Amino acid sequence: MPDSKKFFENLSGAGKCIGVLTSGGDAQGMNAAVRAVVRMGIYVRAKVYFIHEGYQGMVDGGDNIKEATWESVSSMLQLGGTVIGSARCKEFRTHEGRLRAALNLVRLGITNLCVIGGDGSLTGANLFRTEWSGLLEELVQTGQIDEQAAVTHSALHIVGMVGSIDNDFCGTDMTIGTDSALHRIIEVVDAIMTTAQSHQRTFVLEVMGRHCGYLALVSALACGADWVLIPELPPEDGWEEQMCQKLSESRLRGSRLNIIIVAEGAIDRHGKPITSDAVKDLVVRSLGFDTRVTILGHVQRGGTPSAFDRILASRMGVEAVLALLEASPDTPACVVSLRGNQAIRLPLMECVQMTQQVQKAMDEKNFEEAVKLRGRSFENNLNTYKLLSYRKPDSEVSKDGEGRKGGPCCSSFNVAVLNVGAPAAGMNAAVRSAVRVGITEGHTMFAVQDGFEGFSKGQINEIKWGDVGGWTGQGGSLLGTKRTLPANHLNKIAEQMRIHNINALLVIGGFEAFECLLQLVEARSTHREFCVPMCVVPATISNNVPGTDITLGADTSLNSIVETCDRIKQSASGTKRRVFIIETMGGYCGYLATVGALAAGADAAYIYEEPFTIRDLQTNVEHLTEKMKTGIQRGLVLRNESCNENFTTDFIYQLYSEEGKGVFDCRKNVLGHMQQGGAPSPFDRNFGTKIAAKAIQWISKKLKEFYVEGTYIYLPTYTYYQSKCPGKHCTDFRLDIKHSGSTAADDMSLQTITDHQAVDLKQFGLCVSPLFLQTLIL
């Protein structure tokens, strides 16, 4: 953080003018992007202008282009749509319209444009940039500007951010608005499922996606839909019979509802549209099921943006301003994209052309190419859906030790799944995915109740395909979870592993899960039963475990924090001059407080990783005192529960109350365990589904590698070594593993899904995830 702060302080935008506009269809999170551009621009001492009503406002000029202030973007984070407006503009598509727009920008000295919109809006911006010098020449010739103005404003710099709920832009893993649209869809699906179960109905849901099936695909994964239809991968001929057969089998297994999700642009292999009404008529005609159609429409564009979209848009807005400051006259237009957890810059027109190639591939019926062009995020989701979409008949899963049909020669293995530690949203989605993928892989899956405590007591039962139906939307842990470590129950756990012939373990949990498996690894020399593949799926709201940038449950918890902060800020708007002190969970990890502060627009965040003194507290009080003199007469401060042993929430509340007497009053709120509850967010449902599927595939791979000539061999020896890491509170922790009787020297018997370096688990109270977002000036 200190290095990051120094970097920002060395930037200067003095003398530069930045225009920000939103264009095309609205998307939740656009306001967060506008806010970030404005405040980052002002922070580097540049002038920032709102361009209202998109390109129409640029063409019309006048009051449509106004200078923005720090206060003018206050209270924008929680608003959906776009506050500065968006409009279709036919005039900007003409040379005359672009000439007028250029004149309006030159008059105000604006030569840097930040455009938030879809591929059409960004393509128009790039065309404007390429024509810029010619437009200035024409303005000089007609006497509307002088030659000096043309020289001063000779280059126009363009940076784009993609705002689209469809996630249909190539080059980025996620576009602004997509996650919020998924929230709206899943809220509707959860509501529909209750009525569908009551009446044993089938529901056909039509979601947006005229040319892209991302929303349909991910919402199908997140709710466990029976069938999904998307434009990029039309179903094979005869799909009608296959779908009806699957729906019928689901009912025979005891399910009381069916969900079919249809993208509005869904087509068959011959390019013929597949409508939601046609799907309904097919189900009624073939099966006689009571079937209803729900078309979500513009509900998907509405509502408040999710925590993910606020953070994504804020980071992209900061990166967009940095790109404009660093641009030279020869710098091509770029678009700020998301890759993994990093905001990156890519050539704008390359991404636009790739996006256009997707439609071309679909028109040519080259659907595999279309899926690849959509990018790794789309492809990974599709592969996971395929993995979970079909239950193999028992005839394809051999139980006689001769291996699975068509697969390598190996026995059916027994794999146990259990939850450890505190509950985290998404755990049930992970268990469901693990069970179904395991069954598809040919394993017999066992569910362990109440963690390792239940394991030691023999609370182990086989769990089948139908047993996990409807689990994706359930919060908490349906298997039950305890913090009990296995060290005092090793003999009993080993006995239960012998009784049930457990060949592998999948543990879903936080730091306790890591500690539990370390204890089992250490006990391998005395208990041969523990010489099996073990895998951890990191699941904790604190996001404080090694090996992953984000843990299961953190996104749901962030949304809970942000929703509460929004309500608190709203109450403060009715009572002027009030400051709220909010305590978040997270132990010694400040992730929830830091990122929650960024997403909620807080004035300060106190975390363990960034030590603070009484002088820092006093500085923040003075800042809030000055703030109360403006039109923004409310404050929000987030405090991580373990940020400081002495500066407790009560102490900070009392200090602020005393120092703010006569200027503002204070209220405090401890969010507590509400951060662990509630239905999982779409992100956590999808993340849990994908990460657990990958975990089971890793386990299957190791089971095959170590099953030699009818004998299962898994006897790794291990050594530990430590080395200092850059952080103040942790050391690197690594496992150096060599295998007895195996050439797979690169295998890790205890590994996290992403294969990153881990930190010392013995200091787990002090270690943090590597992902910390920029909260400096937002």
Side-chain angles (χ1 to χ4, degrees):
M1 287 294 288
D3 292 340
S4 170
K5 187 173 182 179
K6 186 176 180 181
F7 171 75
F8 283 114
E9 287 176 346
N10 291 334
L11 291 173
S12 176
K16 294 191 176 183
C17 296
I18 300 171
V20 57
L21 69 143
T22 55
S23 179
D26 64 301
Q28 307 97 318
M30 279 184 165
N31 291 320
V34 170
R35 173 181 178 270
V37 170
V38 170
R39 291 198 168 177
M40 184 63 185
I42 293 173
Y43 182 82
V44 297
R45 299 182 294 282
K47 281 188 176 182
V48 186
Y49 289 86
F50 290 139
I51 301 177
H52 292 273
E53 309 307 333
Y55 288 116
Q56 188 66 57
M58 193 188 299
V59 172
D60 294 341
D63 290 339
N64 288 301
I65 307 178
K66 293 182 178 179
E67 186 174 353
T69 65
W70 191 277
E71 290 77 17
S72 63
V73 293
S74 179
S75 301
M76 283 178 62
L77 266 175
Q78 67 270 29
L79 301 178
T82 166
V83 169
I84 61 176
S86 179
R88 307 288 180 186
C89 182
K90 293 182 180 180
E91 291 176 83
F92 191 76
R93 297 179 182 178
T94 67
H95 180 78
E96 292 74 15
R98 293 192 291 275
L99 188 66
R100 288 168 55 194
L103 176 61
N104 290 327
L105 294 185
V106 170
R107 283 174 173 171
L108 292 170
I110 300 172
T111 56
N112 299 279
L113 276 184
C114 184
V115 180
I116 308 165
D119 61 333
S121 302
L122 300 182
T123 302
N126 187 68
L127 175 62
F128 192 39
R129 185 188 70 86
T130 57
E131 291 183 350
W132 182 256
S133 58
L135 294 172
L136 294 189
E137 287 180 14
E138 195 171 337
L139 290 172
V140 171
Q141 291 171 4
T142 57
Q144 297 181 75
I145 64 172
D146 57 34
E147 290 188 4
Q148 182 59 44
V151 172
T152 304
H153 307 99
S154 59
L156 177 68
H157 305 298
I158 300 287
V159 174
M161 287 184 278
V162 188
S164 168
I165 69 167
D166 293 333
N167 201 30
D168 56 355
F169 192 82
C170 294
T172 183
D173 291 341
M174 192 77 87
T175 57
I176 296 170
T178 303
D179 187 70
S180 299
L182 286 170
H183 273 257
R184 301 295 92 76
I185 294 170
I186 294 305
E187 286 166 7
V188 172
V189 172
D190 285 350
I192 280 176
M193 289 178 88
T194 57
T195 184
Q197 286 177 326
S198 301
H199 298 277
Q200 297 192 58
R201 282 180 176 149
T202 296
F203 269 89
V204 182
L205 270 73
E206 181 181 303
V207 302
M208 283 187 170
R210 191 171 302 148
H211 304 292
C212 179
Y214 186 89
L215 288 179
L217 176 61
V218 175
S219 57
L221 270 177
C223 71
D226 296 277
W227 201 266
V228 65
L229 295 160
I230 60 175
E232 290 88 349
L233 195 66
E236 300 288 345
D237 291 342
W239 66 271
E240 297 92 341
E241 183 180 343
Q242 293 177 16
M243 184 186 76
C244 290
Q245 182 181 351
K246 184 177 181 183
L247 298 180
S248 180
E249 289 175 355
S250 174
R251 290 295 178 93
L252 289 173
R253 290 197 300 270
S255 175
R256 292 179 58 85
L257 80 157
N258 299 114
I259 300 291
I260 302 168
I261 296 182
V262 183
E264 61 178 333
I267 55 174
D268 64 17
R269 287 275 162 177
H270 308 287
K272 181 182 177 182
I274 301 175
T275 66
S276 51
D277 284 330
V279 174
K280 172 199 169 184
D281 294 341
L282 170 65
V283 174
V284 172
R285 183 174 64 251
S286 301
L287 301 175
F289 290 172
D290 185 3
T291 308
R292 299 286 190 274
V293 172
T294 298
I295 300 175
L296 270 64
H298 282 76
V299 166
Q300 296 157 90
R301 291 192 185 276
T304 186
S306 66
F308 183 97
D309 271 330
R310 299 184 196 195
I311 296 161
L312 173 65
S314 297
R315 296 181 69 193
M316 283 186 168
V318 169
E319 189 65 27
V321 174
L322 295 178
L324 289 171
L325 293 180
E326 296 169 8
S328 68
D330 299 326
T331 303
C334 73
V335 61
V336 179
S337 300
L338 178 71
R339 182 167 294 172
N341 70 341
Q342 298 296 319
I344 62 170
R345 306 171 200 171
L346 296 174
L348 172 59
M349 289 315 296
E350 285 186 18
C351 295
V352 169
Q353 289 163 8
M354 191 181 300
T355 302
Q356 293 169 347
Q357 287 173 11
V358 176
Q359 189 58 50
K360 182 181 177 182
M362 291 165 61
D363 292 339
E364 295 173 352
K365 296 183 172 55
N366 189 354
F367 299 112
E368 289 184 4
E369 180 66 15
V371 169
K372 287 182 180 178
L373 288 170
R374 279 286 180 225
R376 61 175 188 172
S377 177
F378 189 95
E379 201 168 3
N380 288 340
N381 283 309
L382 185 58
N383 290 336
T384 305
Y385 176 78
K386 288 178 179 178
L387 200 61
L388 291 164
S389 63
Y390 181 62
R391 180 190 181 189
K392 290 186 178 181
D394 292 339
S395 59
E396 291 190 26
V397 183
S398 174
K399 301 292 184 181
D400 57 6
E402 295 181 0
R404 288 171 293 160
K405 185 177 179 180
C409 182
C410 65
S411 296
S412 170
F413 293 106
N414 295 342
V415 180
V417 181
L418 65 157
N419 296 336
V420 173
M427 276 183 164
N428 297 319
V431 172
R432 171 187 175 272
S433 177
V435 168
R436 293 193 169 180
V437 172
I439 291 172
T440 302
E441 293 276 315
H443 307 314
T444 300
M445 302 300 295
F446 286 86
V448 181
Q449 302 286 334
D450 298 332
F452 280 101
E453 183 175 320
F455 208 137
S456 67
K457 296 177 182 178
Q459 296 173 209
I460 307 169
N461 297 292
E462 183 179 352
I463 187 166
K464 299 183 178 180
W465 188 280
D467 296 335
V468 291
W471 280 33
T472 54
Q474 299 293 317
S477 168
L478 294 175
L479 288 183
T481 179
K482 294 283 184 75
R483 297 179 183 270
T484 306
L485 300 178
N488 296 328
H489 308 282
L490 292 175
N491 292 332
K492 292 182 179 179
I493 293 171
E495 181 184 0
Q496 292 299 326
M497 291 189 72
R498 282 197 305 274
I499 292 172
H500 294 90
N501 190 28
I502 301 300
N503 305 120
L505 285 178
L506 176 62
V507 181
I508 304 167
F511 254 105
E512 291 87 354
F514 284 79
E515 187 69 17
C516 286
L517 289 197
L518 275 177
Q519 291 181 2
L520 296 186
V521 169
E522 291 171 350
R524 277 176 168 167
S525 59
T526 55
H527 295 82
R528 182 184 174 89
E529 294 81 4
F530 301 146
C531 295
V532 298
M534 305 177 189
C535 194
V536 179
V537 169
T540 167
I541 69 167
S542 302
N543 196 30
N544 63 341
V545 300
T548 181
D549 290 332
I550 190 78
T551 56
L552 200 56
D555 183 73
T556 303
S557 185
L558 274 176
N559 278 285
S560 176
I561 292 169
V562 168
E563 183 181 347
T564 303
C565 288
D566 284 350
R567 293 180 179 180
I568 285 172
K569 286 166 68 177
Q570 189 176 42
S571 73
S573 66
T575 306
K576 303 295 184 182
R577 298 181 179 178
R578 177 162 290 176
V579 175
F580 284 87
I581 315 294
I582 311 296
E583 181 184 302
T584 68
M585 296 178 78
Y588 289 94
C589 178
Y591 179 85
L592 290 179
T594 303
V595 184
L598 176 62
D603 296 276
Y606 300 124
I607 59 173
Y608 180 85
E609 294 87 354
E610 195 170 46
F612 57 97
T613 66
I614 192 68
R615 286 181 293 277
D616 297 315
L617 293 172
Q618 183 62 38
T619 299
N620 289 335
V621 171
E622 291 169 359
H623 158 73
L624 287 168
T625 301
E626 289 300 311
K627 184 179 179 181
M628 296 301 162
K629 297 176 183 178
T630 70
I632 317 168
Q633 297 184 352
R634 49 121 184 92
L636 184 66
V637 175
L638 268 63
R639 177 192 178 274
N640 168 242
E641 60 183 348
S642 300
C643 66
N644 190 289
E645 183 179 356
N646 297 310
F647 297 150
T648 64
T649 301
D650 285 335
F651 175 88
I652 294 176
Y653 162 70
Q654 291 167 4
L655 174 68
Y656 273 57
S657 297
E658 180 63 28
E659 294 296 316
K661 269 185 180 177
V663 181
F664 59 81
D665 62 348
C666 281
R667 295 291 185 273
K668 65 178 177 178
N669 195 319
V670 179
L671 300 184
H673 285 79
M674 64 166 285
Q675 296 161 83
Q676 289 181 330
S681 68
F683 181 95
D684 277 330
R685 299 184 195 199
N686 189 27
F687 183 43
T689 298
K690 289 193 290 189
I691 201 171
K694 187 170 184 180
I696 290 295
Q697 288 178 316
W698 179 84
I699 285 174
S700 296
K701 177 185 175 185
K702 298 306 166 190
L703 288 171
K704 294 173 191 175
E705 286 180 6
F706 292 96
Y707 190 78
V708 182
E709 296 179 358
T711 305
Y712 181 71
I713 302 172
Y714 197 91
L715 297 173
T717 58
Y718 55 91
T719 57
Y720 290 55
Y721 67 91
Q722 291 184 329
S723 63
K724 292 293 181 182
C725 85
K728 295 180 181 178
H729 308 294
C730 63
T731 56
D732 279 344
F733 177 89
R734 305 171 186 170
L735 286 172
D736 182 23
I737 296 180
K738 299 176 182 178
H739 294 280
S740 173
S742 168
T743 58
D746 61 338
D747 171 51
M748 292 186 71
S749 59
L750 175 65
Q751 85 166 42
T752 53
I753 304 303
T754 51
D755 291 330
H756 287 96
Q757 288 184 357
V759 293
D760 186 1
L761 300 177
K762 292 182 173 60
Q763 300 183 32
F764 62 88
L766 305 180
C767 296
V768 300
S769 171
L771 176 60
F772 274 93
L773 306 179
Q774 299 159 337
T775 58
L776 207 34
I777 48 89
L778 296 175

